[in-house]
Amino acid sequence: MCQDEHQTAAEHAHHLNRRGLFVTGAAAALTLGSVSFASGAERRAPASGQQETKTVRGTLPPGSPDFVYLPVEIPSGVRELHVAYTYEKPTVPPGTTGNALDIGIFDERGTALGGKGFRGWSGGARTEFFIRADDATPGYLPGRIRPGTWSIALGPYTVAPAGLPYTVTITLTYGEPGSTPEPTYPPSRAKGRGRAWYRGDCHLHSWYSDGRRTPAEIAALARAAGLDFINTSEHNTHSAHAHWADQAGDDLLILIGEEVTTRNGHVVALGVEPGTFIDWRYRARDNRFGHYAREIRRAGGIVVPAHPHATCVGCNWKFGFNEADAVEIWNGVYTPDDEITLADWDNTLVTGVRAGRREWLPGMGNSDAHRDPDRVGGPQTVVLADDLTREAIQEGIKAGRSYVAESKSVELTFTASGGKGKQAGIGGRLDVGRDDPVTVRLDVKGAPGCTLHIVTDQGTLHTSPALPESGAGTVEWHTTASYAAYVRAEVRHAPTVQGLPGAFTALTNPIFLGRGKG
């Protein structure tokens, strides 16, 4: 093995930071000096299995750009590329950000935004990765190590005041490349029940990003949770797409997606064509999100901003909702940020009906499960769809024909009825006059001790007593379209903190009342 301590790139980093950053693509990006391995023209062909290693050290200062690219000149005859990295994590005072450094890689096709060069991303979940023609570390794409300039992408997520010292070690193994297996993907339909309510969880992570579960473990947990469909959503990589086919079945539809994890919020690309990669290297100020939302739709997916009021760094949604098809209003175990998201979403409904708009943004809920004890299917979105297919599930979500439930134990029906046999369900509109009487009915099962709430554009207008131990109950409430432009239902646990509402058990999308405009 040949080893070389390579410091030019680190020195170049400091040099560029003194002179100022330059821009590549839409976001400021720092490109370091190249790491060069001897080319075939400069040396005899290496023996099969021979390795060559080079190490780069440097320090990224506070205020570093979102992405720092370390070019690596790859010669011909390389069978495997291996990259390992470490960085210092000094103790910092309370309220001060520490160091966090993500990593990924682009091949000789380049780092252009939305380009073809992406070969993998593990964020901060791994300290090393490899790529070969026949295999790769989860999060990375197998394929030949072609000669040319590859770029290791470093993502300084947060940088401590003293800077972020890092070490990157690159090892090439020479030899015959081998062959890349042809990928297989899950089918886009399962054996459904015709038009029915189907349960799903569309925000899940496996070991192909920062989760700890295998696809097989997730599929088993999904079936145990009573789910009919799931959507894969690894952070910033589509490497898992080819690893789900053997987990699908007549009883479980597996949709393919990505959690596009930008520095200004996360969005689930739900049900895209297998093999689709959606870039994430932009912020709201770059005015690029609309382009990538359209890329998701062109790939057959729908656009769902995730946990928009989450408190983790970079998780809060800052791109607005004009390009969204739905929004995640309940993410995992109930926390106060879910309450804020619910209130914010309800405000969009209020604003819409008062402006006379028929378009509205449906809500949904997902587990965002990563590892034990995260509960797959907690919560789950229950969708009224024409069949158990990708297109039918997506259509039901976009139409708002859904409610969110804590578990498979919770079932509900929610309707609004007017005269002459008129009735509308969740996501629908009851076509009645402004002063025509309307009866709203909510039937719930599986919610012992919970209270039932009817919410309108005027706020919460009815709250039931706690349900008995059986967990079943019914509420009927009477109104008119002039008094309530829409109605929606909440089922809540008993409060545990004085002055705060109880955690969610179930939430519905609205039923709109009246003829509306347009």
Side-chain angles (χ1 to χ4, degrees), residues 392-438:
I393 293 296
Q394 290 174 325
E395 195 275 329
I397 292 170
K398 289 193 296 181
R401 296 194 307 269
S402 65
Y403 65 91
V404 189
E406 184 179 54
S407 71
K408 66 180 180 181
S409 301
V410 180
E411 299 179 31
L412 64 80
T413 58
F414 185 52
T415 59
S417 303
K420 300 181 181 179
K422 292 180 178 179
Q423 188 177 82
I426 299 169
R429 177 177 290 274
L430 184 65
D431 186 4
V432 292
R434 284 178 49 79
D435 298 317
D436 293 347
V438 173

Side-chain angles (χ1 to χ4, degrees), residues 9-10 12-14 17 21 30-32 57-69 87 99-102 153-168:
H12 193 45
H14 289 297
N17 275 294
L21 306 179
L30 177 65
T31 299
L32 306 177
R57 292 185 172 88
T59 299
L60 299 174
S64 290
D66 290 341
F67 302 102
V68 176
Y69 297 108
Y87 61 94
N99 284 335
L101 184 63
D102 294 343
L154 301 175
Y157 208 67
T158 56
V159 179
L164 194 159
Y166 64 88
T167 301
V168 179

Side-chain angles (χ1 to χ4, degrees), residues 13 32 107 146 178 191 210 225-226 268 323 332 346 352 413 483:
L32 306 177
D107 66 20
R146 295 180 294 268
K191 187 177 180 180
D210 61 343
V268 174
E323 296 287 350
D346 189 74
T413 58
Y483 187 59

Side-chain angles (χ1 to χ4, degrees), residues 103-394:
I103 196 167
I105 196 165
F106 292 78
D107 66 20
E108 85 289 349
R109 290 171 290 184
T111 62
L113 200 62
K116 302 289 188 182
F118 177 78
R119 290 297 293 272
W121 182 260
S122 48
R126 302 182 188 279
T127 59
E128 58 183 319
F129 64 86
F130 75 89
I131 300 175
R132 294 196 308 264
D134 63 332
D135 199 6
T137 299
Y140 294 80
L141 303 175
R144 291 195 173 202
I145 309 300
R146 295 180 294 268
T149 303
W150 290 51
S151 297
I152 296 169
L154 301 175
Y157 208 67
T158 56
V159 179
L164 194 159
Y166 64 88
T167 301
V168 179
T169 301
I170 307 142
T171 300
L172 305 183
T173 301
Y174 294 89
E176 290 297 317
S179 59
T180 302
E182 190 69 26
T184 57
Y185 302 114
S188 60
R189 89 169 29 245
K191 187 177 180 180
R193 305 181 297 277
R195 188 172 176 85
W197 291 93
Y198 295 100
R199 293 175 177 263
D201 187 347
C202 294
H203 188 167
L204 294 161
H205 297 278
S206 76
W207 66 2
Y208 285 90
S209 59
D210 61 343
R212 294 293 179 267
R213 292 168 173 151
T214 66
E217 290 168 334
I218 292 171
L221 290 168
R223 289 180 166 98
L227 301 184
D228 302 294
F229 66 93
I230 59 175
N231 177 73
T232 74
S233 56
E234 309 298 353
H235 292 286
N236 293 348
T237 180
H238 58 296
S239 67
H241 289 190
H243 298 277
W244 283 96
D246 57 353
Q247 305 307 321
D250 285 347
D251 63 333
L252 185 65
L253 173 67
I254 298 180
L255 307 178
I256 295 300
E258 178 186 334
E259 184 174 8
V260 182
T261 306
T262 81
R263 299 299 175 84
N264 283 164
H266 303 183
V267 61
V268 174
L270 196 164
V272 297
E273 287 292 331
T276 298
F277 166 65
I278 304 296
D279 214 321
W280 70 93
R281 293 171 294 159
Y282 42 85
R283 289 180 179 255
R285 64 180 177 236
D286 298 319
N287 198 29
R288 291 294 185 104
F289 176 68
H291 171 80
Y292 288 100
R294 291 187 290 275
E295 284 290 307
I296 292 170
R297 292 195 191 91
R298 275 193 287 268
I302 63 175
V303 179
V304 184
H307 46 65
H309 288 281
T311 56
C312 47
V313 174
C315 295
N316 195 275
W317 185 251
K318 296 186 182 300
F319 294 95
F321 297 98
N322 288 341
E323 296 287 350
D325 296 306
V327 61
E328 192 177 70
I329 57 174
W330 182 358
N331 174 273
V333 175
Y334 168 84
T335 56
D337 62 86
D338 293 305
E339 199 70 58
I340 295 168
T341 299
L342 178 66
D344 193 32
W345 172 69
D346 189 74
N347 286 340
T348 69
L349 301 178
V350 172
T351 301
V353 296
R354 291 182 183 170
R357 293 195 298 267
R358 279 186 172 268
E359 298 80 13
W360 60 284
L361 184 64
M364 67 181 304
N366 302 298
S367 72
D368 199 1
H370 285 68
R371 60 188 67 82
D372 292 338
D374 298 352
R375 185 166 58 86
V376 172
Q380 52 196 251
T381 298
V382 190
V383 183
L384 179 60
D386 289 336
D387 207 347
L388 189 52
T389 67
R390 181 181 75 168
E391 293 80 5
I393 293 296
Q394 290 174 325

Side-chain angles (χ1 to χ4, degrees), residues 5-19:
E5 294 287 330
H6 187 86
Q7 303 233 337
T8 304
E11 294 164 359
H12 193 45
H14 289 297
H15 178 61
L16 283 176
N17 275 294
R18 286 196 300 270
R19 293 175 57 197

